[in-house]
Amino acid sequence: MKFNFLQKQTSRREMLRDSATLAGSAFLAHLLPATLPRASAAGYAQQALSPAELLASMRAKFNAVPMETQKLADNVTMFDGPGGAVVVLNGPDGKFVVDTFVAPAWPRLKEALDGLGNAPLKYVIDTHWHFDHTDNNAPLHAAGATVLAHENTRKRMSEPHDLPVLYRGADGALAGLHFDPSPAEALPQQTFAASYKLQANGETLALQHFVPAHTDTDIYVHFQKANVIQMGDVFFNGMYPYIDPGTGGTITGNIAAADKILSLADNDTKIVPGHGPLGNKADLTKFRDLLVTARDRVQKLKSAGKSAQEAVAEKPFADLDPVWGKGIINADQFVQVVYLVL
């Protein structure tokens, strides 16, 4: 795997360009069919799929994940699978849905929501702007829900985003990802700047914006009575996280976000990650410690004048790999992510 940003570290413009390149490479782990070994990734990319085909492949791979249902409280249910986790507060006041899976999973999500009963859809809450959490905003809005998110989520979804270079194939063709602005019906109709509260079905949902962490759009949703906190992609449970340098992500902010939730949680709190199994305070503590360790190790190398490529060659996460290296991105990619978001 070849990353353009490893070749030199110069201007801010180049850094921004290279961060987009990295973003695409990190996403590739979800894009490749499960039947392909990681070593064959370059050969797969040499087929020179168009950006639209690459994005369709990514959505299909997310959608191949089975959906599982888990009751978190009497009126709070988690659907886990094709694009992270969806949490639903259900009752006579309606259904309040947090995150929405990828678009191809819509029939399954609709069936699951219908299976909770006949209460109308009231709100959809986006934890951040990424497509695997917002893809089904539009059909949920069409079904009656108001889409609610941080103001930056609406801004990011209204913009085009390019992740330009994944690989250069043998024929010289470049493979990349392109995200068009979301259609108007998918954009949040209601936004907030710092915090927001909803009260329904005997529950209080406290929504709070994080400092820039995974992105600059992240919020958490605290189901206060149920003692459930949904963190979106600010928490990857049991795997290296992806932090998006192209839309404001920082590792310092991610650590601060983990600290914030740890201050709210007790040993019985159910903590819903963006990816990975349902977690608790102990799981989030381990994740926070990983972030601190990763930050400190890569910062030491960067401060010593190492390039990103040289930092990768040092293998600073070799001892962490047995626990954390089985998820969306591998250790070398995570070194590069951390280098960019310090």
Side-chain angles (χ1 to χ4, degrees):
M1 186 176 291
K2 183 177 181 181
F3 300 96
N4 281 2
F5 76 88
L6 293 180
Q7 296 171 7
K8 56 181 178 178
Q9 300 290 333
T10 52
S11 71
R12 175 174 173 79
R13 177 178 296 178
E14 288 169 333
M15 177 66 81
L16 291 173
R17 177 206 65 200
D18 292 338
S19 71
T21 301
L22 169 62
S25 67
F27 280 139
L28 190 65
H30 269 318
L31 183 150
L32 296 178
T35 55
L36 284 178
R38 187 179 297 271
S40 68
Y44 182 75
Q46 286 173 7
Q47 296 175 19
L49 298 178
S50 71
E53 289 170 329
L54 287 170
L55 187 54
S57 296
M58 184 186 299
R59 284 189 166 104
K61 190 167 194 296
F62 271 120
N63 192 46
V65 178
M67 190 174 75
E68 299 179 357
T69 301
Q70 189 169 350
K71 201 81 167 174
L72 303 185
D74 287 342
N75 58 354
V76 180
T77 303
M78 180 177 77
F79 303 124
D80 186 33
V86 171
V87 177
V88 184
L89 171 68
N90 180 54
D93 295 327
K95 295 169 184 166
F96 295 71
V97 182
V98 185
D99 286 345
T100 75
F101 291 150
V102 291
W106 169 240
R108 284 189 288 163
L109 178 58
K110 183 180 185 303
E111 181 180 8
L113 291 171
D114 289 346
L116 295 177
N118 296 324
L121 285 164
K122 286 292 188 179
Y123 273 92
V124 168
I125 301 167
D126 296 330
T127 59
H128 64 293
W129 80 272
H130 284 156
F131 76 98
D132 50 319
H133 298 259
T134 62
D135 250 3
N136 288 305
N137 281 4
L140 286 163
H141 177 54
T146 297
V147 181
L148 172 65
H150 187 262
E151 59 190 15
N152 286 350
T153 293
R154 181 179 174 89
K155 175 181 181 293
R156 294 300 189 184
M157 290 179 69
S158 300
E159 302 168 340
H161 295 276
D162 285 292
L163 309 177
V165 181
L166 296 175
Y167 292 97
R168 186 180 296 275
D171 60 355
L174 297 177
L177 288 170
H178 173 77
F179 297 88
D180 289 323
S182 297
E185 58 269 23
L187 298 177
Q189 293 86 46
Q190 188 173 337
T191 64
F192 62 94
S195 62
Y196 196 85
K197 279 193 176 181
L198 292 167
Q199 293 185 316
N201 301 321
E203 179 62 271
T204 298
L205 280 67
L207 286 57
Q208 181 72 45
H209 182 232
F210 288 117
V211 299
H214 170 68
T215 68
D216 61 10
T217 71
D218 304 300
I219 66 168
Y220 67 85
V221 181
H222 189 183
F223 300 78
Q224 293 181 336
K225 181 179 177 182
N227 198 15
V228 172
I229 302 174
Q230 187 166 358
M231 293 181 66
D233 283 358
V234 172
F235 179 27
F236 282 59
N237 192 12
M239 64 187 78
Y240 294 128
Y242 177 64
I243 303 172
D244 186 349
T247 55
T250 75
I251 193 165
T252 299
N254 221 142
I255 294 166
D259 286 337
K260 172 64 177 179
I261 300 305
L262 288 171
S263 75
L264 296 175
D266 58 38
N267 290 334
D268 296 319
T269 304
K270 296 179 176 70
I271 304 178
V272 180
H275 298 277
L278 180 67
N280 55 29
K281 189 170 185 177
D283 295 322
L284 182 57
T285 299
K286 292 175 185 176
F287 178 71
R288 190 259 182 201
D289 291 345
L290 166 72
L291 293 175
V292 172
T293 298
R295 178 199 62 191
D296 292 350
R297 290 182 183 180
V298 177
Q299 184 64 70
K300 183 177 180 180
L301 294 169
K302 192 171 184 178
S303 296
K306 301 284 187 181
S307 68
Q309 186 175 21
E310 289 166 338
V312 169
E314 293 282 339
K315 300 294 181 185
F317 302 153
D319 60 318
L320 305 175
D321 242 20
V323 174
W324 300 96
K326 301 173 184 177
I328 290 174
I329 62 176
N330 63 33
D332 287 354
Q333 291 170 329
F334 188 48
V335 173
Q336 297 152 10
V337 168
V338 174
Y339 196 98
L340 282 176
V341 298
L342 281 169

